[in-house]
Amino acid sequence: MRRGNLIVLSGPSGVGKDTLLSRLIERVPGVVKCLTATTRAPREGEQHGVDYLFLSPEQFAAWISQGKFLEHAHYNEQYYGTPLHLVEEARARGLDVILKIEVQGGLQVRQRVPEAILIFVQPPSLEVLRQRLTARGTDSPEQIASRLHIAEQEMRAIPHYDYLVTNDTIEEAVDLLRAILLAERARIRKEG
Ligand code: 5GP
């Protein structure tokens, strides 16, 4: 059986990665999102084992020292990491595994798994991102300013990614992501 691809999906907060990912999973059979771990507290409605594996800082540190993470990063004062075994099990079953992770983690995956496919989702402009974050209504003006600052920094990692998708309209962005996944399944030559 063909081993599934490993795909990293990164992009600034508020760019619409969750919506794109759920639409993509609906449209392309054989794609799964990998559950990841975090030390942050669950938000309302979030469940352990569904949204994240919610670990204490001590558990997270133990997992790091036991080599259980494919990558891990410190982001927004919390730790986030991808459990290696979840990625390996899904890929061994022939599934394409998508990691929705921030850029520090994406670059670690690039180092450790050279054949990984890195996709960056950008907003049409920072101004559009500001409008979307404002419309979402979950952040204070200070938090929005901080997210925009982080977004600018994250966008500096774009040259290290393989594909750039602009989320202008959701339909077009999902079409493009689907095309990338299908083309990558047909690839013969793997670089790395
Ligand atoms: P949030 O706290 O809003 O759920 O996630 C914050 C950021 O951490 C998002 O960009 C999310 O994609 C990223 N993230 C989630 N899980 C992981 C992970 O396992 N590793 C890394 N490097 N980033 C993650």
Side-chain angles (χ1 to χ4, degrees):
M1 190 206 281
R2 169 193 156 271
R3 194 159 177 252
N5 286 327
L6 178 59
I7 297 132
V8 168
L9 191 72
S10 302
S13 170
V15 80
K17 285 169 300 193
D18 286 308
T19 310
L20 294 177
L21 190 51
S22 54
R23 299 276 182 96
L24 187 65
I25 289 170
E26 275 168 26
R27 281 198 47 200
V28 187
V31 181
V32 289
K33 173 181 184 270
C34 187
L35 191 62
T36 64
T38 183
T39 56
R40 81 153 166 77
R43 296 188 188 123
E44 201 170 322
E46 283 184 337
Q47 288 176 28
H48 180 80
V50 177
D51 300 284
Y52 278 106
L53 295 168
F54 291 101
L55 303 183
S56 66
E58 295 73 28
Q59 284 172 316
F60 200 98
W63 282 36
I64 295 175
S65 58
Q66 291 160 13
K68 287 191 178 175
F69 289 119
L70 168 61
E71 61 73 38
H72 61 88
H74 193 231
Y75 178 90
N76 207 8
E77 298 174 10
Q78 300 295 336
Y79 288 93
Y80 293 86
T82 306
L84 181 59
H85 78 279
L86 294 180
V87 172
E88 288 306 319
E89 282 164 17
R91 292 186 75 192
R93 286 164 52 210
L95 297 168
D96 284 355
V97 181
I98 302 194
L99 307 179
K100 197 203 83 179
I101 62 177
E102 52 69 63
V103 296
Q104 305 168 58
L107 299 180
Q108 288 175 47
V109 173
R110 162 65 80 229
Q111 293 293 317
R112 239 182 117 175
V113 187
E115 78 276 14
I117 300 149
L118 271 60
I119 307 175
F120 194 95
V121 183
Q122 69 172 358
S125 67
L126 285 172
E127 177 53 25
V128 171
L129 185 62
R130 192 186 64 75
Q131 289 165 8
R132 288 182 188 168
L133 288 169
T134 308
R136 192 158 81 170
T138 50
D139 294 317
S140 67
E142 293 73 31
Q143 282 171 322
I144 291 175
S146 147
R147 286 191 193 276
L148 286 174
H149 179 67
I150 296 172
E152 278 183 84
Q153 287 178 335
E154 287 177 323
M155 286 169 71
R156 293 200 196 127
I158 290 174
H160 300 287
Y161 277 63
D162 298 306
Y163 294 98
L164 181 59
V165 171
T166 303
N167 190 13
D168 196 345
T169 72
I170 291 172
E171 288 71 25
E172 281 175 295
V174 173
D175 280 347
L176 184 51
L177 289 169
R178 176 174 179 272
I180 293 167
L181 263 56
L182 297 182
E184 287 289 344
R185 284 181 182 172
R187 179 188 282 283
I188 298 167
R189 182 173 54 86
K190 302 264 182 198
E191 288 173 78

